[in-house]
Amino acid sequence: RESERGSYVAAAERAAELDQHRRDLAQLIGHTPEELSFRDSARAALRALLTNWSLPVATTVWVAKNEFGPNLVEFERRGYAVRPLPDVDVAGHVDVDALENMLQFEQPTFLHICHIGSMSGVVQPVSEIVEIAHHAGVPVVVDMAQSAGHVPTVTRADIVYGTSRKWITGPRGVGFVAVRNDA
């Protein structure tokens, strides 16, 4: 439709449908529609976030063992110090007790958690991680590319992002990022 009438006309014709999709997705992930933005992919959402987030020069990010490799590349390209979170088993589940202890002595700029590992299938205890991190004043970013539409995704995380394909069974080329207004 864009090629026939132009992008503005096509967008206006679908505005009500897009607004409904925004409301539905926001409810699924525990954010408000105003906090949600559509992007081309989960990776585009992460890149937009990292490009526009005013982080300190010496940014430190803590990640779980099941972190998605391309996410690590995005952090390393920006010069972030990446530190692994402690795990409680060989599968790589985050040890929330050890995390709580670590946060008493040191705080990263943010935690980045892949809710479900793309290669391992490990489901991280995101809600517990968020609660512990927020108690220490540390923001949490959650990659929901593998979890949205598959497992409960209302986590109270500061920022979440993902894709419409996979478990939501939407088309390729539609990703999302949601940033809490109070984050």
Side-chain angles (χ1 to χ4, degrees), residues 1 8 12 18 24 32 46 55 58 77 92 96-97 99 116 118 137-138 147 183:
R1 190 73 177 137
Y8 295 112
L18 287 170
D24 292 344
T32 67
L46 177 61
L55 294 171
R77 280 184 50 217
V96 292
D97 293 330
L99 171 61
I116 299 179
S118 65
V138 175
S147 61

Side-chain angles (χ1 to χ4, degrees), residues 1-2 6-23 38:
R1 190 73 177 137
E2 285 185 14
S7 60
Y8 295 112
V9 172
E13 290 174 352
R14 296 290 197 189
E17 186 178 355
L18 287 170
D19 288 343
Q20 184 61 51
H21 290 314
R22 183 173 280 107
R23 286 191 300 274
F38 289 120

Side-chain angles (χ1 to χ4, degrees), residues 33 45 81 107 113 136 146 148:
Q107 285 82 39
I113 306 294
Q146 301 292 333

Side-chain angles (χ1 to χ4, degrees), residues 94-172:
V94 171
D95 183 336
V96 292
D97 293 330
L99 171 61
E100 187 171 29
N101 186 51
M102 287 172 61
L103 287 170
Q104 291 178 27
F105 301 100
E106 180 183 359
Q107 285 82 39
T109 310
F110 67 99
L111 295 179
H112 185 276
I113 306 294
C114 284
H115 196 169
I116 299 179
S118 65
M119 299 301 288
S120 66
V122 169
V123 180
Q124 294 293 358
V126 174
S127 292
E128 291 177 71
I129 293 168
V130 168
E131 183 178 340
I132 291 166
H134 283 176
H135 184 72
V138 175
V140 180
V141 178
V142 177
D143 177 342
M144 292 186 169
Q146 301 292 333
S147 61
H150 184 48
V151 298
T153 50
V154 177
T155 63
R156 299 177 323 279
D158 302 281
I159 302 165
V160 301
Y161 67 94
T163 180
S164 72
R165 62 186 196 91
K166 303 181 186 186
W167 296 103
I168 298 177
T169 66
R172 284 187 177 276

Side-chain angles (χ1 to χ4, degrees), residues 4-88:
E4 295 171 359
R5 303 287 308 272
S7 60
Y8 295 112
V9 172
E13 290 174 352
R14 296 290 197 189
E17 186 178 355
L18 287 170
D19 288 343
Q20 184 61 51
H21 290 314
R22 183 173 280 107
R23 286 191 300 274
D24 292 344
L25 180 58
Q27 182 177 9
L28 177 71
I29 62 175
H31 284 256
T32 67
E34 297 76 27
E35 296 170 334
L36 180 69
S37 175
F38 289 120
R39 296 290 179 189
D40 294 340
S41 65
R43 187 166 216 190
L46 177 61
R47 285 179 174 164
L49 170 68
L50 298 177
T51 298
N52 293 295
W53 196 0
S54 296
L55 294 171
V57 173
T59 291
T60 301
V61 56
W62 291 0
V63 300
K65 185 178 188 175
N66 69 329
E67 185 60 59
F68 187 49
N71 294 346
L72 293 172
V73 170
E74 292 298 327
F75 302 147
E76 291 165 2
R77 280 184 50 217
R78 289 165 172 79
Y80 299 170
V82 178
R83 182 171 173 193
L85 288 166
D87 51 56
V88 71

